[in-house]
Amino acid sequence: LGTTAPSNLDAAAGLVGAEVIKAIVANGGSAKEREEAKATFSNIKSPQQLKEAANVYRELLGGQLATLAQQYWVNMDWAHCH
């Protein structure tokens, strides 16, 4: 019998990829961006690649979240002043 590592890696990559795609869609990502994210996680061949790809998206989405939070607080301050 074979090892479960490849199927476990595929499952993990699919799950992480799905979460990244949900984050992109929630923030107005294009169909192309969603397909690129899906392709990235479909091509994962090792746990290290999965970790590195997830870290790249986490940093990018974290920056996006910080920008959205800043916009929110600027708008809240403006709303209270007017």
Side-chain angles (χ1 to χ4, degrees), residues 22-63:
K22 281 196 288 187
I24 291 170
V25 170
N27 293 304
S30 69
K32 182 181 178 194
E33 289 171 318
R34 293 190 298 272
E35 286 302 315
E36 288 173 353
K38 184 177 179 181
T40 296
F41 287 97
S42 295
N43 292 322
I44 298 288
K45 303 294 183 222
S46 73
Q48 186 62 31
Q49 286 179 335
L50 176 59
K51 181 179 177 181
E52 290 173 6
N55 283 339
V56 167
Y57 278 100
R58 185 181 69 215
E59 288 181 29
L60 292 172
L61 292 170

Side-chain angles (χ1 to χ4, degrees), residues 8-29:
N8 290 347
L9 180 60
D10 291 341
L15 180 63
V16 172
E19 291 301 315
V20 167
I21 291 166
K22 281 196 288 187
I24 291 170
V25 170
N27 293 304

